[in-house]
Amino acid sequence: STIFYTSDDDGNKAFEKDRDSYQKHEDLLIILREAISYENLKNNINLAGTSKQIFAPDMALYLNYPNGKISRDGVLFCFRNDKEKKITDVEYETIIRVLKEVGYNNFIHTDTAYQKRVKRKERELLLNKKVNEFIRSELVITDRLHGIIICVITQTPCIAIASVSHKLL
C-alpha cells in the first residue's frame, strides 16, 4: 500500500479519516511497499492492539515472464490521468516531437488502472493482456509505479516521469 495524501484540505480530511480508522482497529496488518509510506505511517499513526505494519516489496516484482525473442514496435505511453498527474500537455507534445525526430512513429496509449471493479476470474487475463502491451513495445514512457514494474519484469526499456506522488523516488 502507499500512504499518499495531497496537502490541500481534501487530503488533510482524508488523512484524518484514515488515521482514525487505523487507530481504532485492534488487529490490522498494513503492508507498505515503499519506505516513505512506511515512515509516514510509523511516525503519524499509532496502531492499536495487535495491529502492525510491515515493509515488503510490491508483489508484482515476483511475477515472471519469459524473455525469448520478442518483436517490439513503437512507444507505449502509460500516464496517470488523475490528481497525481504531473506532465503537462506541452511537455507531452515535446516528448512526441523529440521521439519523432529520432525515428519513432508508432505511439500507443494505455494505463495500468481500470475505471471499474475487475472480477476475480478476469484478473489474470487482464494482467496478461496488459503485460503483453508492454512486451510488444520498444520503449515505455510512464509515470506509474506499476508501469515501471512491468517494464522491469519484462525487460522492456523504460523512461520514468515523476508524478505528484513520492512513489517513483
Side-chain angles (χ1 to χ4, degrees):
S1 180
T2 298
I3 296 179
F4 173 75
Y5 299 95
T6 58
S7 59
D8 60 12
D9 287 342
D10 289 339
N12 291 332
K13 287 177 188 172
F15 172 76
E16 297 290 331
K17 181 180 175 188
D18 289 349
R19 184 182 67 194
D20 290 346
S21 177
Y22 296 154
Q23 291 181 161
K24 288 177 185 173
H25 203 291
E26 294 289 324
D27 187 24
L28 180 66
L29 173 63
I30 302 175
I31 303 171
L32 297 118
R33 63 183 178 214
E34 44 80 27
I36 293 173
S37 292
Y38 181 84
E39 290 299 320
N40 188 2
L41 185 118
K42 186 169 87 175
N43 296 327
N44 296 300
I45 299 173
N46 297 314
L47 297 177
T50 60
S51 294
K52 63 183 172 183
Q53 69 181 54
I54 60 174
F55 181 62
D58 193 294
M59 294 295 121
L61 289 168
Y62 294 100
L63 294 172
N64 188 16
Y65 285 87
N67 298 325
K69 285 279 186 187
I70 300 164
S71 176
R72 296 179 184 261
D73 182 42
V75 177
L76 181 70
F77 291 101
C78 182
F79 288 129
R80 302 192 73 88
N81 196 18
D82 59 16
K83 64 184 178 183
E84 292 183 41
K85 180 180 179 179
K86 191 172 180 182
I87 189 168
T88 67
D89 291 343
V90 171
E91 291 167 329
Y92 172 79
E93 292 301 324
T94 301
I95 292 169
I96 293 286
R97 182 179 46 76
V98 170
L99 287 169
K100 285 182 177 180
E101 287 174 5
V102 297
Y104 289 102
N105 294 305
N106 184 16
F107 304 106
I108 306 153
H109 295 85
T110 194
D111 199 345
T112 57
Y114 289 94
Q115 299 303 315
K116 62 180 179 115
R117 187 170 175 87
V118 176
K119 295 177 185 171
R120 185 178 301 273
K121 64 183 178 182
E122 297 174 342
R123 290 178 187 170
E124 188 172 356
L125 175 66
L126 288 174
L127 175 62
N128 288 331
K129 286 173 83 173
K130 187 61 57 185
V131 168
N132 282 327
E133 288 181 61
F134 283 71
I135 288 173
R136 289 191 307 265
S137 301
E138 291 176 78
L139 172 67
V140 172
I141 302 177
T142 186
D143 61 357
R144 286 207 171 268
L145 175 62
H146 284 103
I148 295 168
I149 290 172
I150 294 171
C151 288
V152 169
I153 64 176
T154 62
Q155 299 181 6
T156 302
C158 177
I159 296 173
I161 308 258
S163 67
V164 172
S165 169
H166 60 266
K167 290 182 261 187
L168 303 184
L169 296 177

